[in-house]
Structure formats: structure tokens, C-alpha cells
Amino acid sequence: MSVKQQQPYQCGVDAAIDVVDGKWKVHILWVLNDATRRFGETRRLLPGISEKVLTQQLRELEADGIVHREVYEQVPPRVEYSLTERGLRLNAALAPLAEWGDERIAMLREGDAPAA
């Protein structure tokens, strides 16, 4: 497992944030949530991500046991990515946060300013 933090975690949120830290990891999790995808398809579903960054983020998620990488020995080689059971559980844990974010987006669209 790839543990980036050197010191002991202070709480469970700290440990979870360590895994999803980065601009693209949560987006990758959502893209892989409903289907196994090839690298190119994943990249097309994430406009703005570079090939280098996607590769790096997928490797980190794989090292953390969140993403499974399946290599098919054929010509040309085929590689597919899917979520592990741990990755599916992480997505389920992120669902309430996404719900909260959707409510915030709706509030901002309606012009309601957040309470100061």
C-alpha cells in the first residue's frame, strides 16, 4: 500500500483524504464507479487531464488498493481499470459529500448567498 503521509494519522478523515488527495482522483473514482474502462476511454471522460497525470493518479490509486489494473496479453496490449471492493466502498462514502455539493450548486444557481 502506498502511504504518502509519514506521521501517524490524526483521524479517519485524515487517512481518507490522503488517498483521494489530488485534483483528479475523485473524478477518476466516479468515472470508474459504474464500469470497467480502458485508459483512453477514461481519459476522454475526464476533459482537461493529461495522459501523464492520469497515469500517475491511476498508479497511486492502484497502490492504495482502490483501483484494479488488468493487463490483457494481446497485440496491441489492452489494459482495463476498475474499482476494487475498497474503491467501491470509498465511492459509497463520498456519495453524501457529492449530495451536499449538489445542494450547494443549486443554492448558488438560485443566487442564495451562503451565510457569513
Side-chain angles (χ1 to χ4, degrees), residues 25 28 39 50-62:
K25 286 184 180 174
I28 293 167
F39 183 88
S50 71
E51 190 170 315
K52 177 185 174 186
V53 170
L54 179 56
T55 299
Q56 177 187 10
Q57 301 283 275
L58 284 167
R59 284 182 183 157
E60 289 176 13
L61 288 167
E62 182 182 8

Side-chain angles (χ1 to χ4, degrees), residues 25 28-29 32 37-40 42-43 46 49 51-69 79-83:
K25 286 184 180 174
I28 293 167
L29 289 171
L32 295 177
R37 302 201 189 271
R38 294 179 71 173
F39 183 88
T42 304
R43 186 166 178 218
L46 297 169
I49 193 169
E51 190 170 315
K52 177 185 174 186
V53 170
L54 179 56
T55 299
Q56 177 187 10
Q57 301 283 275
L58 284 167
R59 284 182 183 157
E60 289 176 13
L61 288 167
E62 182 182 8
D64 285 326
I66 304 300
V67 168
H68 172 71
R69 180 178 185 258
V79 179
E80 293 180 342
Y81 296 91
S82 60
L83 293 181

Side-chain angles (χ1 to χ4, degrees), residues 38 71-79:
R38 294 179 71 173
V71 179
Y72 296 91
E73 300 298 329
Q74 62 186 48
V75 178
R78 187 176 94 210
V79 179

Side-chain angles (χ1 to χ4, degrees), residues 9 12 14 19 21 27-29 49 54 56-57 62 64 83-85 91 101 103 112:
Y9 294 116
D14 193 19
V19 173
D21 188 32
H27 299 283
I28 293 167
L29 289 171
I49 193 169
L54 179 56
Q56 177 187 10
Q57 301 283 275
E62 182 182 8
D64 285 326
L83 293 181
T84 62
E85 184 61 37
N91 259 2
E103 291 171 7
D112 294 340

